[in-house]
Amino acid sequence: MRHVAISSDLWTQARAAAPPRPPKPTSGDSRSFRGDIEGMRAVAVLLVLLGHAGVRHLPGGFVGVDVFFVISGFLITGLLLHELDQRGRLSLTDFYARRAKRLLPAAATVLVATLLLTYFLLPRGRWSTTAWDVIASACYAMNWRMAGESLDYVAANDAPSIAQHFWSLAVEEQFYLVWPLLLIALGWFARRRGRGGRGLYLSGLALIAIPSFAWALHVSPTDPSSYYVTTTRMWELALGGAVAVAATWLSRSSRLVAVPLAWGGLIAVCASAALIRTEAGFPGYAALGPTLGTAAVIAFGPAAGRAGPALLLGRRPLLYIGGISYSLYLWHWPLLIAAQAHFGDLSVGAGLAVVAVSAIPAALTYHFIENPVRRSPTLAARPPAALRVGAVCTGAAALAGLAFHLVVPSTTGPAPTSTVIMGQVPGATTQAAPPAAPGAAALGSAPRTSRAGVPVDRVASITPEPVTAAKDTPLSQTSKSCHVELESSTPRTCVYGKQDATTKVALVGDSHAHHWLPAAQAAAEANGWRLVSYTKSGCPFLAAEISLNDRPYSSCTEWNTRVREALLGEDRPDIVITTHAEYPVMGASVPNRQPALIRELRNTWNTMITGGVPVVVLRDTPLHLKDVAECVSKNPNRLTKCATPRAEATGRGGGPAQEEAVKDLAGAHLINLNDWICPADRCAPVIGGVLVWRDAHHLTATYSTTLAPQLGAALKPVIAKL
């Protein structure tokens, strides 16, 4: 599920006393209550909620965030301009006091409730991460945390954060740290020149919008973090601000022009939610539909009158949903994630039920927290007091997150042990299973008939602890000394085993190659080989360009070029070991993805073979549809619930394409060790006392280490023929 969050906005005090149905708009004053805008808020939040619930016909429900950014930019800028017109100056204290009253009490309430939901319903493995997410959300920095997570391939495979919807609130508040200061400067300059300030304000917004939109166009096609960062989102808020600056002029538009443009804007928003199927490219060209559509509704609504979208958007149900939209969004996402964690993947009907239930705490929060604080005469008369209330709310939420991290135990038992193998470069370490946990060795020489591989409900002990399994990775990835992350295209290598060995082996590929590193390293040590690792997150050993998150993965293509040059250079290995997950080749249609991948794999491997370097393909490991470690942590006495049918698990991932690509390719050898990973008809989550999987598709480093004898035995005949 894509996570989006609503923009919060400030209505004036008149909003609280607004009539239930909108009067015919006659002016461009953004301070007057606009039923069509309140209805647009309802449309936007409904798109987001229905999209999160999994409604198939709204794949682009995430465009609701773009709608809210434009609305917020319009309303906030309108309030600031009114204050400048009336008083000739802006009070930053008053401005931030209003925002503190509007945002922080409800946000703090939901964040504390989120920690309670986490404690009672989420697996312990998520507790620590959730605590830090709450702290980041309370401090309005969640968007930067999400941007970093989007570039972390391992984190990208984790379950969605229960607090990640706070990212767009962070974007907004960061924008409003800049915009009032710029308005003050422009207003001062306008007074000095003795000129009206509207043209200067538009210029100021252009100074923000044009570079921001240009940057969004530049980075959004290839960089998934661009979805979250403030620099690519400011143009959307600035667009709403520009409509507020020009509101008086726009309100004089001809009704013949205004009516079709306003309706066209509403249609553009809804069509975007129905037709846009990927977040790739956001917030670039693809975001113009919902943003310009929203701007059209706001800009031409007054001139269109009741012949415009206000006819629909001013209905009582939409007005009420728009009124509670901030609280509704704050509540619906934590409840969805908690329900998903407790009950498993939700059907569309179940998701819609959770969304409907979230209206109850949302309405209570709106009526008993939002409105009382926002309408408080004491806080209205004393802005510093309102700021103190906001500071208390922020501090309470942040301290609650910190206390949850420090006080509530998120693990049980010791962390996995690690041992250092002599003769390696710094940072090149591996993890070893304790002697009491034999792992794959428990299967003996006939794993398919061994009872040790049959799933059972309970085992005496599990290594590593399921709640810490996500960290049971080859330590080179943890220290980032050798494994290359998503954004980098520069190969980094680590050397293992015997430095002056006559047999030189290279391990090359993505994180699925990397999770074999402990086994390959131990095999190299045992057989006197020299092992060099070349691994990169989400990047198979492939000459063709692939897509990642529906974007061209250009850093992978560059990395591959450099790796091939190294492998065919002076220090070439005697053999290359490679494996990978399944990836779409750029330009290949969905039905042709696997044939295209097979073709490109053969081309890449043939290049190595022609250059004198044989290729060993490690058949990809089984792929589950659930996080196995998380399932085990939730079901320690019913481990069979975490067992996936072997035929299903081995039929997914990169394995089928690898088997086809290696056929009749001289110089390429296929090694399939899945009998020691999933030996029975269902894949046991624990074998020989060792947890096999750290997530849905990566081996734990501990179990990988126990596969070293099998990997070494399979490689010896191939190496002997060199």
Side-chain angles (χ1 to χ4, degrees), residues 505 520 523 529 575 577 616 671 710-720:
V505 179
W529 304 330
I575 196 167
I577 305 171
V616 169
I671 292 178
Q710 289 77 17
L711 180 59
L715 287 172
K716 280 181 181 179
V718 179
I719 292 176

Side-chain angles (χ1 to χ4, degrees), residues 172-242:
E172 235 187 284
E173 295 318 299
Q174 291 160 25
F175 176 79
Y176 290 124
L177 289 176
V178 176
W179 181 223
L181 297 175
L182 183 57
L183 274 181
I184 290 173
L186 293 173
W188 174 85
F189 185 72
R191 290 192 300 273
R192 293 271 296 181
R193 297 285 299 273
R195 298 170 54 184
R198 288 302 193 260
L200 282 174
Y201 299 149
L202 286 174
S203 299
L205 286 165
L207 286 175
I208 295 174
I210 293 175
S212 173
F213 185 60
W215 182 243
L217 294 179
H218 176 67
V219 300
S220 59
T222 58
D223 184 357
S225 70
S226 63
Y227 191 88
Y228 306 101
V229 297
T230 310
T231 51
T232 61
R233 291 288 185 173
M234 290 192 296
W235 68 271
E236 300 183 61
L237 290 136
L239 175 61

Side-chain angles (χ1 to χ4, degrees), residues 479-499:
S479 64
K480 298 184 179 180
S481 60
C482 303
H483 188 73
V484 179
E485 298 301 334
L486 292 177
E487 66 274 17
S488 176
S489 61
T490 303
R492 291 199 300 267
T493 62
C494 278
V495 180
Y496 307 89
K498 189 177 180 182
Q499 303 298 303

Side-chain angles (χ1 to χ4, degrees), residues 158-463:
D158 292 344
S161 166
I162 196 171
Q164 65 190 16
H165 60 313
F166 276 80
W167 75 266
S168 75
L169 299 178
V171 169
E172 235 187 284
E173 295 318 299
Q174 291 160 25
F175 176 79
Y176 290 124
L177 289 176
V178 176
W179 181 223
L181 297 175
L182 183 57
L183 274 181
I184 290 173
L186 293 173
W188 174 85
F189 185 72
R191 290 192 300 273
R192 293 271 296 181
R193 297 285 299 273
R195 298 170 54 184
R198 288 302 193 260
L200 282 174
Y201 299 149
L202 286 174
S203 299
L205 286 165
L207 286 175
I208 295 174
I210 293 175
S212 173
F213 185 60
W215 182 243
L217 294 179
H218 176 67
V219 300
S220 59
T222 58
D223 184 357
S225 70
S226 63
Y227 191 88
Y228 306 101
V229 297
T230 310
T231 51
T232 61
R233 291 288 185 173
M234 290 192 296
W235 68 271
E236 300 183 61
L237 290 136
L239 175 61
V243 175
V245 173
T248 302
W249 305 329
L250 294 168
S251 67
R252 299 169 186 157
S253 302
S254 165
R255 177 166 291 195
L256 291 176
V257 173
V259 170
L261 286 177
W263 278 108
L266 180 59
I267 292 171
V269 170
C270 296
S272 296
L275 299 176
I276 295 175
R277 299 187 176 276
T278 175
E279 301 88 349
F282 265 76
Y285 288 119
L288 290 175
T291 53
L292 292 179
T294 305
V297 173
I298 298 172
F300 298 104
R306 291 198 177 275
L311 178 68
L312 172 65
L313 298 174
R315 302 290 179 179
R316 284 180 181 269
L318 289 181
L319 288 176
Y320 185 75
I321 293 173
I324 68 169
S325 58
Y326 176 55
S327 288
L328 184 58
Y329 190 82
L330 289 180
W331 278 106
H332 93 283
W333 181 257
L335 292 179
L336 272 175
I337 296 302
Q340 187 179 58
H342 187 68
F343 298 108
D345 290 338
L346 303 178
S347 65
V348 174
L352 290 173
V354 173
V355 166
V357 168
S358 70
I360 298 173
L364 293 174
T365 302
Y366 174 73
H367 289 292
F368 296 105
I369 296 177
E370 278 194 67
N371 279 346
V373 175
R374 186 171 64 244
R375 295 173 179 175
S376 168
T378 301
L379 296 180
R382 300 172 57 194
L387 288 176
R388 287 194 291 271
V389 169
V392 169
C393 291
T394 297
L399 288 175
L402 184 61
F404 191 85
H405 177 71
L406 296 176
V407 177
V408 179
S410 60
T411 62
T412 57
T417 59
S418 63
T419 59
V420 178
I421 304 299
M422 300 302 293
Q424 298 175 174
V425 298
T429 58
T430 190
Q431 295 182 325
L443 298 170
S445 59
R448 293 285 284 151
T449 58
S450 173
R451 293 188 59 83
V454 178
V456 295
D457 277 330
R458 300 186 65 178
V459 294
S461 62
I462 301 175
T463 303

Side-chain angles (χ1 to χ4, degrees), residues 50-108:
L50 294 175
H52 281 170
V55 175
R56 184 167 56 90
H57 299 297
L58 291 174
F62 56 85
V63 302
V65 72
D66 305 274
V67 174
F68 281 114
F69 279 147
V70 176
I71 292 174
S72 183
F74 171 78
L75 293 171
I76 298 299
T77 301
L79 287 172
L80 293 172
L81 292 178
H82 177 77
E83 185 174 348
L84 279 170
D85 291 342
Q86 295 295 313
R87 302 167 61 180
R89 61 181 181 83
L90 283 179
S91 170
L92 294 179
T93 300
D94 290 352
F95 173 74
Y96 291 116
R98 290 193 299 267
R99 293 200 69 74
K101 290 190 298 179
R102 175 71 175 99
L103 296 176
L104 300 182

Side-chain angles (χ1 to χ4, degrees), residues 652-668:
R652 294 187 285 258
Q658 292 168 341
E659 290 180 347
E660 288 298 319
V662 82
K663 285 181 179 179
D664 303 320
L665 183 60

